[in-house]
Amino acid sequence: MRSDLDLELVSLTKRYGDTTAVDAINHLFHAGTYACLLGPSGCGKSSTLRMLAGHETVSDGNVLLGGRDIGRLPPAKRGTAMMFQSYALFPHLNVTENVGFSLKMKGTDPDKRRKAAMEMLELVDMTHLADRLPDQLSGGQQQRVALARALITRPQVLLLDEPLSALDPFLRVRMRSELRKLQKELGISFIHVTHGQDEALALADEIVVMNNAVIEQAGPTRDVFDRPATAFVAQFLGSHNVISLAEGKVAVRSDELRLATPGAAKLEGRIITVEYQGTHVALTAKVAGDQEVTALLTDKDFFGAPKDVGEAVGLDWDGTAAHPLRA
Ligand code: ADP
Ligand code: MG
């Protein structure tokens, strides 16, 4: 079903001189979805996001929001808002003034501005720090202010470029659950750029995996994780083995592999590493064709019949666990 708030990319392209940073990508972001644009550094994620926000010109193609072509409109007229990687708060303005800044630009009177800013600060749980300056705030607090500042324009789509990258790992995990909660509360679309697969898995209803300026695969998060379409996606998401068999290349989740007697299994090889991970043990073996294959065993399974580096081992899996990969 198509909603009047779906965001559609039609053959969207960005060129910088001779570099094609985004190469004719097509995608429909459904309204009210938390989507993650995931891919390695330089694959074109930020360029895509900036074209959606209007901070970068579109070289070719269109951006449609509810069927309306917004790709050449100024940022404030699109119905989108962007939260940047560095929160870019104005250092000389306090929290309330930072949040209300875009309304000031629009000529909204000070009382209304302050009221709207306080509402947004309420949303991100920051009313108690409304009078502070940005350098009197922690990284997590600055991020909340930046969120409130982006949301005060009442966007239909919030664009976030690596919003958690400046935070320490502990805060990052906490903030990501707050982002997720906020998106559900607001019911608007979030498009969140990240190069971290764990972040994308934790947050997204839908993952769009980019590589080399194109979309490699897009779909509901669990579908993409369970059925990676290419070796790149399987490897980038992690927790998968890419295995070349006589019948072709397949992806098999590490936790779907089990140990078996050599000779009575699909693969056999020699153990090269055994890594204890607490609840699990990751056992990597070198098999035919110099391929390295990792089995993630529960600690109980492993310590029930422990193995050492150098031992011969068979590796097996159920037929349904292997997913053929597109070349
Ligand atoms: P990502 O966000 O996935 O790391 P970017 O969209 O920033 O990727 O960059 C994609 C490609 O475009 C890279 O090769 C990058 O060097 C190039 N690029 C990005 N911004 C510019 C720019 N302003 N001028 C020239 N090349 C750029
Ligand atoms: Mg980037």
Side-chain angles (χ1 to χ4, degrees):
M1 206 181 64
R2 195 161 284 223
S3 132
D4 59 352
L5 295 178
D6 287 350
L7 181 72
E8 190 167 6
L9 320 187
V10 184
S11 204
L12 188 65
T13 301
K14 181 67 200 178
R15 290 184 217 94
Y16 302 102
D18 294 339
T19 309
T20 301
V22 181
D23 194 1
I25 63 173
N26 294 290
H27 190 69
L28 183 72
F29 292 96
H30 286 287
T33 298
Y34 203 123
C36 279
L37 263 185
L38 174 69
S41 180
C43 72
K45 305 180 298 295
S46 293
S47 298
T48 301
L49 209 68
R50 290 200 302 263
M51 284 192 284
L52 302 183
H55 296 303
E56 193 67 78
T57 57
V58 169
S59 304
D60 252 316
N62 295 311
V63 182
L64 307 175
L65 182 57
R68 183 172 71 110
D69 190 347
I70 61 166
R72 271 102 189 150
L73 297 178
K77 296 241 154 40
R78 292 185 173 209
T80 59
M82 177 122 167
M83 196 186 125
F84 295 92
Q85 185 164 359
S86 59
Y87 311 130
L89 300 176
F90 300 113
H92 56 290
L93 299 183
N94 73 17
V95 164
T96 315
E97 291 160 347
N98 261 288
V99 173
F101 188 77
S102 66
L103 299 186
K104 186 174 183 180
M105 292 292 95
K106 276 198 200 160
T108 310
D109 73 62
D111 279 353
K112 273 201 184 138
R113 226 156 65 208
R114 189 172 167 82
K115 188 163 168 287
M118 289 309 280
E119 265 173 45
M120 290 301 132
L121 288 172
E122 181 89 47
L123 197 62
V124 296
D125 207 10
M126 281 287 291
T127 47
H128 60 301
L129 299 176
D131 298 326
R132 291 243 183 122
L133 290 171
D135 69 2
Q136 298 168 323
L137 302 174
S138 71
Q141 291 164 343
Q142 288 183 30
Q143 194 209 35
R144 289 198 181 88
V145 177
L147 261 175
R149 191 179 56 173
L151 291 170
I152 202 167
T153 63
R154 305 273 176 188
Q156 289 152 353
V157 180
L158 182 67
L159 306 164
L160 308 104
D161 195 352
E162 309 251 4
L164 305 176
S165 63
L167 304 177
D168 66 56
F170 176 78
L171 206 52
R172 198 178 303 150
V173 169
R174 213 179 80 194
M175 285 307 298
R176 80 183 179 205
S177 63
E178 288 188 23
L179 279 179
R180 170 90 200 167
K181 190 166 146 252
L182 192 60
Q183 187 268 332
K184 293 295 164 231
E185 268 170 37
L186 294 168
I188 64 173
S189 303
F190 278 27
I191 302 178
H192 172 138
V193 160
T194 178
H195 61 269
Q197 50 87 22
D198 54 341
E199 194 166 305
L201 293 177
L203 278 167
D205 299 314
E206 182 189 55
I207 292 187
V208 178
V209 184
M210 287 187 72
N211 185 30
N212 287 331
V214 299
I215 294 175
E216 283 261 331
Q217 187 174 359
T221 302
R222 285 193 62 200
D223 287 1
V224 174
F225 185 78
D226 281 339
R227 285 188 296 281
T230 65
F232 172 83
V233 174
Q235 272 149 356
F236 195 77
L237 287 175
S239 313
H240 285 85
N241 291 288
V242 174
I243 305 173
S244 292
L245 299 170
E247 59 267 32
K249 196 179 263 193
V250 296
V252 187
R253 275 167 57 159
S254 307
D255 59 343
E256 297 275 11
L257 291 190
R258 57 177 179 267
L259 303 188
T261 317
K266 293 191 180 65
L267 292 176
E268 51 194 273
R270 248 171 226 293
I271 299 173
I272 56 171
T273 61
V274 174
E275 189 183 84
Y276 178 56
Q277 298 181 348
T279 58
H280 287 79
V281 176
L283 182 152
T284 302
K286 192 161 262 189
V287 302
D290 231 21
Q291 303 184 75
E292 289 183 11
V293 173
T294 297
L296 192 65
L297 309 167
T298 67
D299 59 335
K300 291 187 188 68
D301 283 350
F302 179 82
F303 290 108
K307 300 267 179 250
D308 264 330
V309 170
E311 279 187 57
V313 72
L315 291 158
D316 219 347
W317 58 88
D318 291 343
T320 53
H323 300 286
L325 297 170
R326 185 174 89 211

